[in-house]
């Protein structure tokens, strides 16, 4: 005879509230990364013209998204941080009445924007799920 342990309703609802709060914090972390990255992505390594901070922002985004997914045990955490970054980045890409944009159409802007999108997508895809390994990295 198998006896199933019942989890009290109060514990389930408090656990759910903690999880929702954690996902909200990860979303806000993504927003902060998008805010900082938009203004700091255009530092170049002189005398060459390598946008070193754009590469750093892309690597940091991948690390945060992948780490969040690994620590929370699912792709939703990685997606929460990535979506926060994407929302803030889209805000900075929109034009203003003055014609200014924060992320310019230069090498550092392209590396930050497209590299960040690839990094966020890759982090979500390779994050293992709670029921096993990553579907992308598992042999079928």
């Amino acid at each position: 005879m198998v006896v199933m342990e019942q989890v009290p309703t109060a514990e389930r609802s408090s656990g759910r509230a903690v999880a929702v709060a954690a996902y909200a914090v990860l979303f806000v972390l993504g927003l902060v990364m998008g805010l900082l990255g938009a203004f700091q992505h255009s530092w170049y390594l002189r005398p060459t013209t390598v946008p070193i901070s754009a590469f750093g922002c892309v690597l940091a985004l991948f690390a945060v998204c992948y780490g969040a997914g690994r620590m929370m045990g699912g792709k939703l955490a990685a997606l929460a941080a990535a979506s926060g970054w994407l929302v803030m980045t889209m805000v900075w890409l929109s034009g203003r009445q003055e014609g200014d944009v924060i992320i310019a159409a230069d090498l550092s802007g392209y590396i930050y924007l497209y590299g960040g999108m690839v990094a966020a997508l890759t982090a979500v895809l390779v994050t293992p799920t709670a029921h096993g390994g990553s579907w992308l990295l598992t042999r079928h």
Side-chain angles (χ1 to χ4, degrees), residues 4-111:
M4 304 210 45
E5 187 176 318
Q6 295 291 328
V7 178
T9 308
E11 286 183 27
R12 274 189 294 188
S13 63
S14 68
R16 189 173 296 137
V18 169
V20 168
Y23 290 127
V25 167
L26 288 172
F27 182 79
V28 170
L29 178 62
L31 288 174
V32 170
M33 289 186 70
L35 174 70
L36 294 176
F39 287 104
Q40 301 299 324
H41 74 276
S42 60
W43 290 6
Y44 286 88
L45 186 63
R46 303 284 184 211
T48 61
T49 56
V50 177
I52 194 71
S53 63
F55 287 115
C57 290
V58 168
L59 289 175
L61 178 65
F62 176 80
V64 166
C65 292
Y66 183 71
R70 291 292 300 232
M71 295 298 168
M72 293 286 290
K75 294 182 185 298
L76 187 59
L79 189 61
S83 60
W85 175 83
L86 188 62
V87 165
M88 186 58 75
T89 301
M90 291 302 127
V91 167
W92 297 129
L93 282 176
S94 62
R96 297 177 29 184
Q97 292 175 350
E98 297 86 16
D100 298 338
V101 292
I102 303 299
I103 301 173
D106 60 354
L107 180 62
S108 64
Y110 290 138
I111 289 173

Side-chain angles (χ1 to χ4, degrees), residues 110-128:
Y110 290 138
I111 289 173
Y112 175 71
L113 179 63
Y114 296 120
M117 287 184 192
V118 168
L121 179 66
T122 304
V124 171
L125 289 177
V126 300
T127 299

